[in-house]
Amino acid sequence: MDELARVTAATVDVLRVLSAGDDACWGLRVIKGSGRPPGSVYPILERLERAGWVSSAWEAENDRPGPRRRFYKLSDGGAVAARAVIARFDAKSNASFRPTGAQA
């Protein structure tokens, strides 16, 4: 598993959605859960997969109408790394937030 060269707020949002459950989820669910546009989410998912953080698979043929869905799931190492990235991002965000009138 490779380290991510760049971690943006959008990457963290995608990791949060993927970390939220044990089941794989399809791209549209990641888009809706993260609140990010498809043009951001799919490249992030592709980067995560190339780095070994995520695996993906097309759903088997079924009777559901509509196009096949691609399901994404964090790898075991990706899940551990995602939790660490999210925690660092949250700690950094909380440290930089100072309410009005707070002493430095």
Side-chain angles (χ1 to χ4, degrees):
M1 194 177 85
D2 298 332
E3 265 191 59
L4 298 179
R6 163 181 87 145
V7 177
T8 63
T11 303
V12 173
D13 290 342
V14 168
L15 290 172
R16 283 185 204 282
V17 173
L18 293 172
S19 298
D22 294 331
D23 296 332
C25 61
W26 61 93
L28 186 58
R29 182 175 282 174
V30 177
I31 290 165
K32 288 182 178 181
S34 68
R36 301 291 179 161
S40 294
V41 171
Y42 286 114
I44 290 168
L45 289 169
E46 188 176 311
R47 256 193 326 273
L48 291 171
E49 189 167 15
R50 277 195 317 266
W53 290 44
V54 168
S55 62
S56 69
W58 288 102
E59 76 179 332
E61 295 295 324
N62 65 20
D63 295 331
R64 184 184 64 74
R68 284 191 316 161
R69 299 178 291 189
R70 189 168 188 107
F71 286 87
Y72 299 88
K73 183 171 177 64
L74 286 170
S75 64
D76 291 340
V80 171
R83 285 191 296 271
V85 165
I86 292 166
R88 278 196 309 269
F89 185 85
D90 289 347
K92 186 176 178 181
S93 295
N94 289 336
S96 65
F97 174 73
R98 296 203 189 279
T100 304
Q103 298 296 317

